[in-house]
Amino acid sequence: MNNHSTTSVLDGQALVPLAAPADAAQAAALRDGLLGGGLHIVEVGLRTPYSMTALGELASHGELIVGAGTVLDAAQAEAALDAGAQFLVTPGYADDIVEVAKRRGVPIVPGVATATEVLRARQAGLRFVKLFPANVLGGLTLIDALSAAFGDMRFMPSGGVSQATLAEHLAHPAVTAVSGSWLTSGAMLDKGADAVAEAVRASVEIAASVAEGGSGA
């Protein structure tokens, strides 16, 4: 899963939950729920007015690997990194954001939807990309096609993945991680840390089963 760095904080991470906390209570439920469920990474989508604050607060605790998601321009990328983000994720491919990540020495997972974007990412030295929105684009069927042409690229599908389809996604040889909000949606965060932890534990177990060669069922 390594992207332009010898050792990446993303290495070995099969689940990258996406969350966009709307307030301090949701951020606390997110932190405690992830840690309680045994997951130590989160992508904070910069989709709410509170998201950047949440990113900074989560990063300051030091218990989670915190990345910034839905990064739309270089200035936002710089602000997120200044706030403590350890990796960047974008919904589409953008040269300026990739350059910020390279200059700052952090991993970036750019969003791709076409073979052209996969090729641009590869030419930029990246080998790990986010397929978004995966369910709209064809999901694993598209990954089959893209991985046939780009054998050294690895994918993180995002969009439409759920606990029910997690195992089949992680079992795909070109998929090294799955992103999604089913674990950490606003509605889930409103249920509190215990609910988040329960969902996280179930998904962590599925991911472990797939890694060990099981069905995940």
Side-chain angles (χ1 to χ4, degrees), residues 24-37:
Q26 285 195 350
L30 174 63
R31 181 189 66 242
D32 295 342
L34 290 175
L35 294 173

Side-chain angles (χ1 to χ4, degrees), residues 145-191:
L146 291 173
S147 62
F150 302 99
D152 58 351
M153 297 297 290
R154 295 297 176 265
F155 297 86
M156 178 172 74
S158 179
V161 182
S162 67
Q163 184 170 308
T165 61
L166 176 59
E168 65 178 311
H169 280 83
L170 288 178
H172 194 286
V175 172
T176 52
V178 167
S179 167
S181 60
W182 80 92
L183 296 171
T184 50
S185 66
M188 180 65 78
L189 295 178
D190 283 339
K191 294 179 181 179

Side-chain angles (χ1 to χ4, degrees), residues 91-177:
Y93 190 88
D95 291 314
D96 59 341
I97 304 175
V98 171
E99 287 307 311
V100 169
K102 289 186 173 184
R103 178 167 47 79
R104 297 286 293 263
V106 299
I108 181 168
V109 187
V112 299
T114 66
T116 298
E117 290 172 321
V118 176
L119 184 58
R120 288 181 66 192
R122 191 180 185 281
Q123 290 176 331
L126 306 179
R127 294 295 182 269
F128 181 49
V129 293
K130 168 183 173 177
L131 183 68
F132 176 81
N135 57 326
V136 175
L137 296 169
L140 292 177
T141 300
L142 179 56
I143 291 177
D144 282 339
L146 291 173
S147 62
F150 302 99
D152 58 351
M153 297 297 290
R154 295 297 176 265
F155 297 86
M156 178 172 74
S158 179
V161 182
S162 67
Q163 184 170 308
T165 61
L166 176 59
E168 65 178 311
H169 280 83
L170 288 178
H172 194 286
V175 172
T176 52

Side-chain angles (χ1 to χ4, degrees), residues 26-53:
Q26 285 195 350
L30 174 63
R31 181 189 66 242
D32 295 342
L34 290 175
L35 294 173
L39 198 54
H40 295 265
I41 188 168
V42 64
E43 173 192 341
V44 178
L46 303 181
R47 301 178 178 185
T48 73
Y50 187 76
S51 291
M52 192 71 80
T53 299

